[in-house]
């Protein structure tokens, strides 16, 4: 099933905005995305951190 005309136009507009942002902000945008990705990884790691009970169980204590 293909895209409708409005979906194609929306996709093209988003792609154009992304290209324009990269051209205008270049390196700053890159580092912003890197920082955002690092923040998401840290949050994910914090949410999945083992509890003390999990550590004790793994060590057989």
């Amino acid at each position: 099933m293909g895209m409708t005309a409005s979906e194609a136009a929306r996709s093209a507009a988003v792609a154009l905005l992304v290209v324009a942002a990269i051209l205008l902000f270049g390196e700053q945008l890159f580092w912003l995305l890197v920082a955002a990705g690092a923040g998401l990884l840290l949050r994910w790691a914090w949410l999945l951190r083992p509890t003390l009970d999990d550590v004790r169980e793994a060590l057989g204590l």
Side-chain angles (χ1 to χ4, degrees), residues 12-51:
V14 168
L16 186 62
L17 285 174
V18 168
V19 169
I22 290 171
L23 291 176
L24 287 173
F25 300 108
E27 190 176 356
Q28 293 88 351
L29 181 64
F30 170 76
W31 288 115
L32 178 66
L33 292 174
V34 168
L40 288 174
L41 284 175
L42 286 173
R43 182 174 184 205
W44 177 75
W46 178 256
L47 290 174
L48 294 179
R49 70 191 185 285
T51 63

Side-chain angles (χ1 to χ4, degrees), residues 2-17:
M3 285 196 285
T4 64
S6 65
E7 289 172 335
R10 187 179 309 126
S11 294
V14 168
L16 186 62
L17 285 174

